[in-house]
Amino acid sequence: MTTSLGAMSVTGRALATTLVLCGLGAAACGGTAAGADLARERGPVPPAAGTAAAPASDGAAGALTGAAADPTATPATGRSGEAREPLSGKIVVIDPGHNGQNYRHPSEINKKVNVLTQWKACDTTGTATANGYSEAAFTWDVSQRLAKILRSRGATVKLTRDSNSGVGPCITQRAAIGNRAKADAAISVHADGSSTANHGFHVIMPEKIGGPVDPVVAASKKLGLDVRDAFRRGTGLSYSTYIGRDALDYRNDLGGLNLSTVPKIFIESGNMRNPAEAAKFQQPAFRQKIALSLANGLQQYLRR
């Protein structure tokens, strides 16, 4: 998410001792621009019991229709209809935002790291729906599904964390994983935590900062546009009503972007505090639809 939401009414786990501030625009959260929704900066949200993500299923709904409208349209399994694997030789790094046990380790995730434009928390807890479905569980599930689809299309895929039962890694390490892999594209998967009336998704892209990301800013924009278009087409979710313009937000304060030497974006899949979007995010079939849409956007970019 972008910033943790104040006054979250999630399950009654006492967290006074584990309060973790998701700093304004915290890189691990994919935050909103400075000054936007300042009240959303407070409070960690623990995952509710039983919200650990289930393995991705090939049988879930979510196929796009109309090859003319979307050249990457595929069946719900995500496998390309082409004879050969369309992403053979491509490397994709997927960064599932946060981690399921971050809230238990405030000293670790509050550690400050240098993101070049400022010092920020190593990681954050993320947000959650009103009934306690955590962002960490959501991002882990979607990322697993996305990885499966991309691999079925021939891509080499690496994730920045290997479970939803650990801590971190820090935002600096998340960027470094994509860099070491020499990824052709990297994507950080998130969902936002804004006021309940706000809705819609947005894509966060880097700005030039006089740092390592500068050479890939233009490529990251192309990646962001392709993912935005595929996400809108595939999920039916609206552009964000409260952040950015046409679902695009440009940032210079996110470590996951500032430190990246490969084309990279964040996707804020929607607002977990909005009842309608929260209900969709808790449906496995809709998470499969999200994953398929992201895969199609990545494929569009990688085959340019």
Side-chain angles (χ1 to χ4, degrees), residues 51-303:
T51 58
S57 168
D58 280 349
L64 302 181
T65 58
D70 181 8
T72 63
T74 59
T77 61
R79 181 172 292 280
S80 170
E82 298 181 4
R84 70 179 188 85
E85 296 175 325
L87 297 181
S88 179
K90 300 297 184 180
I91 300 171
V92 179
V93 169
I94 304 171
D95 176 27
H98 314 290
N99 205 321
Q101 295 298 302
N102 276 2
Y103 75 99
R104 291 184 180 275
H105 301 271
S107 61
E108 290 183 51
I109 66 171
N110 272 332
K111 180 179 63 176
K112 297 299 182 182
V113 295
N114 186 1
V115 303
L116 303 183
T117 56
Q118 58 187 274
W119 288 79
K120 307 197 74 163
C122 159
D123 201 9
T124 59
T125 59
T127 188
T129 63
N131 65 350
Y133 178 60
S134 73
E135 182 184 2
F138 169 80
T139 64
W140 177 246
D141 182 86
V142 169
S143 296
Q144 289 288 292
R145 295 171 185 273
L146 174 57
K148 187 172 185 178
I149 294 170
L150 292 173
R151 286 170 179 146
S152 78
R153 298 180 185 183
T156 297
V157 180
K158 184 173 182 60
L159 276 69
T160 59
R161 58 184 174 101
D162 58 12
S163 76
N164 193 43
S165 57
V167 181
C170 290
I171 53 180
T172 49
Q173 294 171 282
R174 291 173 188 256
I177 290 169
N179 297 345
R180 287 195 300 268
K182 300 187 186 312
D184 296 292
I187 184 168
S188 189
V189 180
H190 289 266
D192 204 3
S194 185
S195 62
T196 57
N198 293 333
H199 63 89
F201 77 94
H202 65 283
V203 177
I204 303 174
M205 294 169 290
E207 293 180 329
K208 289 187 176 181
I209 59 168
V213 74
D214 288 13
V216 295
V217 163
S220 296
K221 181 177 181 179
K222 292 177 182 177
L223 172 60
L225 289 170
D226 284 336
V227 167
R228 179 200 64 176
D229 293 348
F231 196 90
R232 177 73 175 92
R233 197 163 47 232
T235 67
L237 293 176
S238 69
Y239 290 169
S240 174
T241 60
Y242 61 101
I243 293 177
R245 181 174 180 179
D246 296 330
L248 303 176
D249 189 27
Y250 299 89
R251 301 287 298 277
N252 63 11
D253 63 325
L254 304 181
L257 297 182
N258 287 357
L259 298 168
S260 181
T261 59
V262 302
K264 185 174 181 179
I265 61 168
F266 280 47
I267 176 75
E268 293 282 3
S269 304
N271 180 15
M272 296 193 84
R273 305 299 294 172
N274 175 274
E277 291 182 350
K280 290 179 184 291
F281 293 162
Q282 292 177 78
Q283 300 169 9
F286 196 79
R287 295 197 298 272
Q288 181 73 8
K289 187 177 288 190
I290 287 175
L292 182 57
S293 301
L294 294 175
N296 287 342
L298 285 160
Q299 180 170 320
Q300 183 66 30
Y301 168 76
L302 291 170
R303 298 186 67 196

